[in-house]
C-alpha cells in the first residue's frame, strides 16, 4: 500500500520533495499536490471550478500529480479517483513555517492531513520553522515518525501535527508531546498601506507578537527548541459542554415532543 503525500505549498515546493525522498526509502509514495501554492486555505474545497490533474515529472525521476485545487481537493481526489487502493497513510508537508496554536484552523498543511484522518487513515502534518533550511533532516525525522505511527496505530479520526525547529537534528533538545496553544490571535494583525493612487489597503502581517503562555503547549515547545507533536482530533464536538447544553432546556416553540 502506498503513502499519499501532499502539501499546501504546491507540487514544486522543496519541503514536499524532501519528504518524498525520505519516505520513498521504505514506501511507495504517490504525490498528489496543488499545482500552485495554497497556504492558509484551511479545509477549503473547490465547488464551482473543475479540478484538472497534470502528471509532473521532476528531473530526478520523481513523479506526481498536480491538481488545480486546494490541499483537501488533492486528498479527496486521490482517495476517490487517483489511487487504486486506500493509502496506508497520508502525510502533508513539509511546510516552511510552523503550524501551531490557532493557526491549525487556517493551515492547508494540517487540513490535508485532517482529510486523511476523516477517512480513518493514519495522517500526519509536518511543518518546520521558516525558512526551513534543514528540510532534509526534518524529512528524515518525519519518515521515521510516520513508520512509528503505522506501527503504534492511531485512533480513527486523529492525526499528528508535527512541528520542528529549523536546526540540525543534533541541535534539537528533544521531543515535546504538547497541546495546541489556544492563545487568542491579535486583533490588530493587519498592516494598513497606501497604493500609488493613495487608496488604502490591508495586508496580513507575517509575524505575530507572542504574549506569555502556558508551558506544555505546541508554540512553547518549538520556541524551546523541541520538536512538538500534538494529537489532533477531527471530532469537533465539545464533549464537556454536552451535558451543560442539555441543561439549557432549549425548546421549539409549539413543539409537542419531549425532546431527546
Ligand atoms: Mn504552506
Amino acid at each position: 500500500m502506498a503513502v499519499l503525500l501532499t502539501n499546501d505549498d504546491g507540487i514544486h515546493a522543496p519541503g514536499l520533495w524532501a519528504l518524498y525522498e525520505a519516505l520513498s526509502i521504505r514506501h511507495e509514495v504517490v504525490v498528489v499536490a496543488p499545482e500552485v501554492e495554497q497556504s492558509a486555505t484551511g479545509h477549503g474545497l473547490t465547488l464551482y471550478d473543475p479540478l484538472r490533474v497534470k502528471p509532473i515529472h521532476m528531473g530526478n525521476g520523481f513523479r506526481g500529480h498536480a491538481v488545480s485545487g486546494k490541499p483537501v481537493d488533492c486528498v479527496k481526489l486521490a482517495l476517490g479517483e487517483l489511487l487504486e487502493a486506500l493509502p496506508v497513510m497520508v502525510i502533508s508537508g513539509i511546510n516552511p513555517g510552523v503550524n501551531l496554536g490557532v493557526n491549525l484552523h487556517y493551515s492547508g498543511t494540517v487540513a490535508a492531513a485532517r482529510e486523511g484522518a476523516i477517512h480513518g487513515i493514519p495522517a500526519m502534518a509536518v511543518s518546520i520553522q521558516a525558512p526551513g533550511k534543514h528540510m532534509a533532516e526534518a524529512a528524515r525525522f518525519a519518515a521515521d515518525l510516520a513508520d512509528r505511527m503505522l506501527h503504534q496505530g492511531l485512533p480513527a479520526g486523529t492525526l499528528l501535527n508535527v512541528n520542528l525547529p529549523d536546526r540540525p537534528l543534533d541541535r534539537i533538545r528533544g521531543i515535546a508531546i504538547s497541546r495546541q496553544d489556544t492563545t487568542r490571535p491579535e486583533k490588530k494583525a493587519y498592516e494598513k498601506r497606501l497604493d500609488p493612487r493613495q487608496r488604502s489597503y490591508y495586508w496580513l502581517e507575517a509575524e505575530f507578537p507572542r504574549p506569555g503562555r502556558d508551558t506544555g503547549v505546541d508554540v512553547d515547545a518549538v520556541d524551546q527548541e523541541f520538536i512538538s507533536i500534538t494529537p489532533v482530533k477531527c471530532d469537533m464536538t465539545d464533549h464537556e459542554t454536552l451535558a451543560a447544553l442539555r441543561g439549557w432546556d432549549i425548546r421549539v416553540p409549539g413543539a409537542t415532543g419531549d425532546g431527546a
Side-chain angles (χ1 to χ4, degrees):
M1 290 209 293
V3 174
L4 173 60
L5 175 61
T6 190
N7 73 352
D8 75 356
D9 303 304
I11 197 158
H12 297 289
L16 179 95
W17 295 102
L19 213 37
Y20 181 99
E21 215 161 341
L23 287 166
S24 57
I25 294 170
R26 292 186 292 273
H27 298 276
E28 182 201 342
V29 181
V30 180
V31 173
V32 183
E35 67 179 348
V36 293
E37 185 176 346
Q38 299 285 343
S39 288
T41 55
H43 215 106
L45 275 179
T46 300
L47 295 183
Y48 300 109
D49 291 301
L51 292 174
R52 312 249 178 220
V53 184
K54 284 184 211 150
I56 296 286
H57 302 274
M58 304 290 279
N60 47 16
F62 297 167
R63 288 155 178 267
H65 307 270
V67 175
S68 62
K70 296 175 168 65
V72 170
D73 291 320
C74 294
V75 176
K76 280 184 99 69
L77 197 61
L79 299 183
E81 295 288 334
L82 304 177
L83 298 185
E84 281 158 21
L86 278 188
V88 65
M89 53 186 163
V90 175
I91 312 287
S92 178
I94 298 173
N95 191 71
V98 286
N99 280 305
L100 302 166
V102 292
N103 290 320
L104 266 69
H105 298 287
Y106 313 116
S107 167
T109 308
V110 172
R114 188 191 296 124
E115 185 63 24
I118 284 172
H119 289 271
I121 302 164
M124 197 168 97
V126 189
S127 308
I128 188 170
Q129 274 175 328
K133 284 179 288 187
H134 299 92
M135 283 294 186
E137 285 183 88
R140 200 151 47 82
F141 173 82
D144 287 349
L145 179 61
D147 283 342
R148 176 60 75 96
M149 174 176 76
L150 270 191
H151 179 73
Q152 300 279 347
L154 272 180
T158 294
L159 61 123
L160 297 183
N161 183 39
V162 181
N163 284 269
L164 296 98
D166 192 13
R167 38 175 50 215
L169 293 181
D170 61 7
R171 290 187 49 223
I172 284 174
R173 290 175 62 195
I175 305 296
I177 305 300
S178 48
R179 357 183 261 290
Q180 181 189 5
D181 181 43
T182 53
T183 304
R184 290 176 197 149
E186 288 287 309
K187 275 187 289 186
K188 195 164 171 53
Y190 288 85
E191 195 174 307
K192 188 175 183 182
R193 300 179 180 178
L194 286 179
D195 74 14
R197 289 172 187 82
Q198 305 306 305
R199 294 170 303 194
S200 55
Y201 63 98
Y202 298 86
W203 209 315
L204 191 60
E205 306 249 18
E207 289 282 333
F208 301 107
R210 293 178 165 189
R213 64 180 56 77
D214 303 340
T215 52
V217 296
D218 52 5
V219 177
D220 190 55
V222 178
D223 271 355
Q224 302 291 322
E225 295 158 3
F226 286 83
I227 296 173
S228 170
I229 306 177
T230 304
V232 174
K233 285 176 87 156
C234 298
D235 179 358
M236 294 164 78
T237 311
D238 178 353
H239 291 272
E240 289 164 15
T241 305
L242 275 178
L245 197 55
R246 287 187 181 120
W248 282 20
D249 194 25
I250 308 167
R251 290 167 192 267
V252 181
T256 53
D258 295 330

